[in-house]
Amino acid sequence: MLSQITYNQACKNFEQIYDEVISTREPVVVSREGSESVSVIPTDELNRMIETIYLFQSHENAIRLLDALQRAKKRTNKPQTLDELRKNFGLIEEV
């Protein structure tokens, strides 16, 4: 569950909020009457979310990612060498 605080509490206790967000990795929602709420979130968590959204924007890429996730969960992936991976993606020609 997300922690929620008021804008005034955030102003008075920002150092504590900052430390809490970093240690728990959980966002804190700051609300202000008459305004939209904002969240304090670790930057690396935000970057991960932005990257995930970017990767899932392409329908084809989303299908590939979800398929790979299912294979990983089922442990059906077989280890491959870098050369084998390059061949699979057409990055090098077979001799």
Side-chain angles (χ1 to χ4, degrees):
M1 178 150 215
L2 295 177
S3 297
Q4 293 194 0
I5 60 168
T6 67
Y7 175 80
N8 288 334
Q9 290 170 319
C11 289
K12 292 175 186 172
N13 302 305
F14 190 73
E15 185 175 355
Q16 178 185 349
I17 294 161
Y18 184 99
D19 292 340
E20 177 187 334
V21 168
I22 295 299
S23 68
T24 65
R25 312 310 289 169
E26 293 292 324
V28 172
V29 177
V30 180
S31 59
R32 186 161 133 183
E33 193 172 324
S35 291
E36 185 177 356
S37 297
V38 298
S39 296
V40 180
I41 183 171
T43 301
D44 62 331
E45 298 290 333
L46 176 61
N47 288 336
R48 287 182 191 132
M49 288 189 295
I50 291 170
E51 181 69 17
T52 300
I53 291 166
Y54 173 78
L55 291 172
F56 276 85
Q57 283 179 335
S58 159
H59 181 71
E60 294 85 12
N61 201 44
I63 290 170
R64 283 192 296 267
L65 289 169
L66 293 172
D67 182 52
L69 179 60
Q70 289 301 318
R71 287 192 320 269
K73 285 182 177 180
K74 292 178 183 177
R75 299 191 185 273
T76 58
N77 287 336
K78 296 178 184 170
Q80 293 181 316
T81 67
L82 189 54
D83 285 339
E84 289 170 329
L85 288 170
R86 286 181 175 144
K87 285 179 194 174
N88 289 341
F89 287 99
L91 299 175
I92 59 174
E93 296 178 23
E94 292 187 49
V95 266

